[in-house]
Amino acid sequence: MLIGEVARRSGVSTRMLRHYDSLGLVRPTGRTVGGYREYSTADIRRIFHVESLRSLGLSLRQIGRALEDPTFAPSALVGDLIQRTEDRLKREQELLERLRTVDASAPSGWQGVLRIVELLHGLNSPSPARRQQTVLTPAEDVPVPTELLAGAVLAESDPNVAGALRWALARAGGDGVASVAPGVYSENVDIRRRAVLAIAEMSGDEATAVLTNALGDSDTAVRRHAALALGTRGATAAVPTLVGMVVEGTNDVEAAEVLGTLSLDPGCADRIMSALVDELAADTADSAVRIRLTQALAEMPATIARGVLRQLAHDDDRAVALIASALVGMLEERSNG
């Protein structure tokens, strides 16, 4: 079969067939009397093999190796193709997300589009300093889309950049809480922690509701972040977690201060005092735990804390007794003052 007929039947151009010949991929078995290329049935079958491998994304060099090298392992080639395809899909997905971000910002002109693209490049920079600078020096005439900030804050691992992103997101308004809230329910614990920290800096009932749900998270850090934020908002649902933080010794001083703020509500004060006293009386409470609980009592209103502290001033644990005695003296000095 001559080259023209092969091209018509196979769909491969004569130019490409000649290129295959020059590379040694598919060389026609024979020549006519006039010197024209003549392809056998085996040659045509090889052409289809080459085209099939090309459709998978192989280069002509890889195809030549696959067809000629008897030691060539197809699994290695397929694995390489999978990796390259995954990389390409990742790049295309990133491009799609960028386009969606630009579209969601509803830019009114090319200046707005270019500004969003600049932000995207800055926030995707490998340099933490560049990412932070991008957040802290926005253009006044082009607001940063909350969706863009939310995506960045959920992905950011550098604490300084993350703080800047939370600051910007809290001031962006709009749908900030709604944009970050899905992160609270992520399977990735790091994303849940970042989401709770971001929502903790936002005001409003919607943020409070999301933080309240986070109190039931399986991760202790997520629960603690949510409890501290809720406590400053006056949410009594945070009390058990805050008391637990004092017991465990994690951010115990901050937790005690928030408990003190909540205790300004008479209805909540008795609940907090009961929880602290119960923990003091627990058989499992060691000296360090009882010391932290005693110190936390100093944050409570003097009218309800003084009696418990006076009892603790005679505690069998000398360290607890000394601390309680000192706190009683401090409370009395405040009262006299």
Side-chain angles (χ1 to χ4, degrees):
M1 191 180 299
L2 298 181
I3 188 169
E5 188 176 357
V6 172
R8 285 193 300 273
R9 294 192 178 190
S10 68
V12 182
S13 68
T14 56
R15 181 177 180 182
M16 183 58 75
L17 289 172
R18 292 190 182 96
H19 185 50
Y20 287 169
D21 187 359
S22 67
L23 294 176
L25 276 177
V26 184
R27 284 180 173 159
T29 304
R31 293 272 179 171
T32 66
V33 176
Y36 293 102
R37 293 175 176 86
E38 190 171 32
Y39 291 83
S40 66
T41 302
D43 296 335
I44 295 172
R45 187 181 299 115
R46 187 176 174 92
I47 290 171
F48 284 112
H49 286 169
V50 171
E51 290 300 300
S52 296
L53 292 174
R54 279 189 66 199
S55 70
L56 292 177
L58 272 69
S59 68
L60 295 179
R61 178 178 296 180
Q62 289 174 315
I63 293 171
R65 181 186 173 196
L67 294 177
E68 300 298 337
D69 187 354
T71 64
F72 181 77
S75 59
L77 178 61
V78 173
D80 181 59
L81 285 172
I82 290 173
Q83 183 62 55
R84 283 169 38 187
T85 303
E86 288 178 344
D87 292 342
R88 176 176 55 80
L89 291 174
K90 181 180 178 181
R91 291 193 299 271
E92 291 181 351
Q93 184 62 38
E94 290 173 350
L95 174 60
L96 178 60
E97 293 301 324
R98 291 193 186 101
L99 291 172
R100 284 175 173 166
T101 300
V102 173
D103 183 56
S105 67
S108 58
W110 279 112
Q111 191 64 31
V113 172
L114 294 175
R115 174 55 184 159
I116 298 302
V117 172
E118 180 186 352
L119 285 168
L120 286 167
H121 282 299
L123 291 174
N124 289 322
S125 170
S127 167
R130 170 77 189 284
R131 297 198 300 274
Q132 186 176 27
Q133 183 182 21
T134 299
V135 178
L136 297 177
T137 57
E140 296 180 0
D141 55 337
V142 182
V144 182
T146 54
E147 295 85 356
L148 177 57
L149 289 172
V153 83
L154 294 178
E156 184 56 62
S157 59
D158 185 276
N160 295 323
V161 182
L165 284 166
R166 292 196 298 270
W167 173 84
L169 187 59
R171 286 153 183 77
D175 299 324
V177 175
S179 298
V180 179
V184 178
Y185 310 103
S186 169
E187 293 183 359
N188 187 317
V189 66
D190 291 328
I191 292 178
R192 298 205 304 276
R193 291 175 181 175
R194 293 166 190 156
V196 168
L197 284 171
I199 294 175
E201 298 189 20
M202 302 180 194
S203 59
D205 294 339
E206 186 180 3
T208 300
V210 175
L211 291 170
T212 301
N213 289 336
L215 288 175
D217 196 275
S218 60
D219 181 66
T220 54
V222 171
R223 296 197 301 271
R224 290 166 183 162
H225 292 323
L228 289 171
L230 286 168
T232 59
R233 298 166 188 244
T236 59
V239 169
T241 304
L242 292 169
V243 173
M245 291 170 67
V246 174
V247 172
E248 295 159 8
T250 304
N251 298 108
D252 53 294
V253 174
E254 191 175 1
E257 291 175 349
V258 175
L259 286 170
T261 301
L262 287 171
S263 69
L264 296 177
D265 178 359
C268 188
D270 291 339
R271 178 185 174 188
I272 295 173
M273 282 297 299
S274 295
L276 293 174
V277 171
D278 288 345
E279 292 291 348
L280 278 164
D283 293 336
T284 56
D286 59 23
S287 180
V289 171
R290 300 183 78 245
I291 287 173
R292 289 195 295 271
L293 289 165
T294 302
Q295 292 171 328
L297 289 172
E299 302 293 338
M300 302 298 109
T303 53
I304 61 175
R306 186 181 289 113
V308 177
L309 286 170
R310 283 174 176 167
Q311 293 178 14
L312 289 172
H314 303 286
D315 196 87
D316 292 338
D317 188 319
R318 180 167 175 77
V320 171
L322 288 173
I323 291 172
S325 178
L327 291 175
V328 168
M330 179 188 71
L331 293 177
E332 290 179 349
E333 285 181 6
R334 288 181 182 174
S335 298
N336 294 334

